Amino acid sequence: MQKKILVTGGAGYIGSHTVVELQNSGYEVVIIDDFSNSLPDSLKGIESITGKKPFFEQLDLCDAAGLKLFFNKHKNIAGCIHFAASKAVGESVNKPLHYYRNNLNSLMNLMECMIANGVEPLVFSSSCTVYGQPEKLPVTEDAPILKALAPYGNTKQICEEIIQDTITSGVKVKAIALRYFNPIGAHPSAKIGELPQGIPNNLVPYITQTAFGVRKELSVYGNDYNTPDGSCIRDYIHVVDLAKAHVIAISRLINGINKKPYEIFNLGTGNGYSVFEVIKAFEKASGKPLPHKVVPRREGDIEKIYADTKFANEELGWKAQLGIDDMMAHAWAWEQYYRKATHA
Ligand code: UD1
């Protein structure tokens, strides 16, 4: 019988790509999403890629009673992958209470339902933001956690602690936290991808929207960093590679081959690219110049970060396969497909 996985936030960017990979790996998927930062279109996209319609329920995970009812209906869930969360760094500074309430309550409600229903495996969506600007690069999983610069990052740190403390208390939950570096790109089919609401904060959606003519030009936040070309360096990872790591992580827990009840992995490629290098890679993929100008640094940006991928490579048997050229080509294909499909 197919094992059933609950994916919270499964209509969102990383969630939808993970649903595709779970279905392709033979799992049955049930999705909970409140569409606060996603659209029903992504569910259609999933179905058109895999030919399988995932079960979907529109629900806010802060609705504890609604979540209990959901678990009463779905008695045989084998594991949960928890994406549902608010994720805009800047917005979190202006709406801290919303971020703490939403991100913490969602996780706690989910874990309470899991425990009450004997569902043990949990994969949690965390972020490299927990490291701040690390002293040593590439950054390993045991690097110190630094005080978060924004409430968003703090919610990721606190959520990791909630999971740790719950497991330490002796209840039967086992978990893997995946600390993502910078997820970009889209499904190669261009049927699903990132759907930023309003003006994008993140680099790649801003680039693709600029290339499509939705934005006038990209602002490069600073060229006076201590890096070879002066712009910030990040470890960009293709969202499909990231999605595949989730399938491996949940399978590891379901099959009981995890080494500890709570494990943490960095998910990156191990390669750092500067903002100017990303722009060049995009120009190569799209075949046209990208209008951009240098502006002052963005507050809160760290200079450079990239992952040490050894632990994930060795323990999960996972390695990112797709490079920066694929990331750019797929992000660009998605932007064009989505704009044409929606006439936006
Ligand atoms: C942020 C979050 C990270 C989150 C990620 C994706 C922090 C420290 N990081 O990463 O946790 O997972 O978003 O949601 O909270 N840039 C420009 N011009 C732009 C936009 C970005 O030059 O218009 C530059 C930035 O200065 C940075 C790089 O591009 O150097 C990447 O920025 P962005 O895509 O926003 O991601 P991060 O800030 O690295």
Side-chain angles (χ1 to χ4, degrees):
M1 209 181 74
Q2 277 188 315
K3 292 215 162 72
K4 194 190 278 187
I5 308 296
L6 167 60
V7 180
T8 74
Y13 175 43
I14 305 171
S16 58
H17 289 81
T18 300
V19 171
V20 166
E21 297 307 321
L22 285 166
Q23 289 182 329
N24 285 343
S25 303
Y27 285 107
E28 183 187 345
V29 180
V30 293
I31 295 174
I32 293 178
D33 201 299
D34 65 357
F35 290 137
S36 59
N37 194 24
S38 58
L39 293 171
D41 291 3
S42 64
L43 301 176
K44 287 191 206 131
I46 291 168
E47 194 180 349
S48 73
I49 295 168
T50 63
K52 289 173 219 152
K53 193 184 177 122
F55 179 89
F56 172 78
E57 185 154 321
Q58 186 168 353
L59 185 68
D60 179 349
L61 290 179
C62 291
D63 173 3
L67 192 60
K68 276 187 195 140
L69 284 176
F70 180 91
F71 269 83
N72 286 341
K73 272 189 278 176
H74 294 273
K75 275 293 170 206
N76 52 346
I77 291 171
C80 301
I81 306 183
H82 180 47
F83 292 104
S86 303
K87 63 165 190 177
V89 179
E91 184 188 53
S92 78
V93 176
N94 298 322
K95 295 183 183 172
L97 293 177
H98 167 78
Y99 271 69
Y100 287 111
R101 184 181 298 115
N102 192 35
N103 293 3
L104 306 189
N105 283 347
S106 296
L107 173 69
M108 291 189 290
N109 288 343
L110 178 66
M111 290 188 82
E112 276 172 353
C113 283
M114 290 175 66
I115 293 162
N117 288 277
V119 181
E120 295 180 21
L122 169 67
V123 172
F124 175 67
S125 183
S126 190
S127 167
C128 72
T129 191
V130 301
Y131 298 119
Q133 175 63 67
E135 272 180 29
K136 275 193 249 146
L137 289 173
V139 57
T140 51
E141 286 81 355
D142 55 8
I145 302 297
L146 298 188
K147 184 171 165 39
L149 291 174
Y152 160 75
N154 206 21
T155 67
K156 291 295 173 193
Q157 294 188 6
I158 298 170
C159 282
E160 286 196 7
E161 286 173 355
I162 289 172
I163 296 169
Q164 177 69 73
D165 291 346
T166 307
I167 289 174
T168 306
S169 78
V171 296
K172 289 189 99 191
V173 172
K174 44 190 177 179
I176 292 178
L178 298 175
R179 291 179 179 158
Y180 315 148
F181 281 66
N182 284 58
I184 60 167
H187 195 268
S189 68
K191 301 267 174 63
I192 51 173
E194 195 170 1
L195 279 174
Q197 314 279 298
I199 301 172
N201 295 308
N202 296 120
L203 178 64
V204 175
Y206 207 104
I207 287 179
T208 55
Q209 290 193 9
T210 303
F212 200 82
V214 182
R215 312 274 157 219
K216 193 167 141 267
E217 62 187 345
L218 172 77
S219 295
V220 175
Y221 296 136
N223 64 352
D224 56 353
Y225 285 97
N226 184 23
T227 59
D229 66 20
S231 65
C232 292
I233 289 176
R234 297 286 183 274
D235 184 341
Y236 297 93
I237 173 168
H238 197 295
V239 65
V240 171
D241 277 327
L242 198 67
K244 287 181 176 164
H246 289 76
V247 180
I248 294 171
I250 198 73
S251 305
R252 178 179 174 90
L253 294 172
I254 289 172
N255 296 326
I257 52 175
N258 51 308
K259 302 263 168 71
K260 291 193 289 181
Y262 186 31
E263 297 176 313
I264 295 173
F265 295 98
N266 284 343
L267 295 183
T269 64
N271 302 314
Y273 287 97
S274 72
V275 177
F276 289 121
E277 285 173 324
V278 172
I279 293 171
K280 275 198 204 91
F282 181 80
E283 289 177 332
K284 189 173 144 204
S286 66
K288 53 182 187 174
L290 186 86
H292 62 277
K293 64 168 182 212
V294 175
V295 300
R297 294 179 177 197
R298 178 171 70 176
E299 206 186 322
D301 267 343
I302 55 168
E303 187 166 87
K304 54 181 171 233
I305 187 165
Y306 46 93
D308 188 317
T309 61
K310 195 164 172 263
F311 190 49
N313 295 164
E314 288 178 358
E315 275 299 316
L316 298 178
W318 167 91
K319 198 170 172 31
Q321 302 294 324
L322 299 166
I324 192 83
D325 293 336
D326 298 305
M327 299 179 209
M328 293 300 133
H330 297 157
W332 179 224
W334 159 247
E335 182 75 49
Q336 295 173 92
Y337 167 84
Y338 187 74
R339 297 275 159 200
K340 283 174 193 152
T342 60
H343 309 289

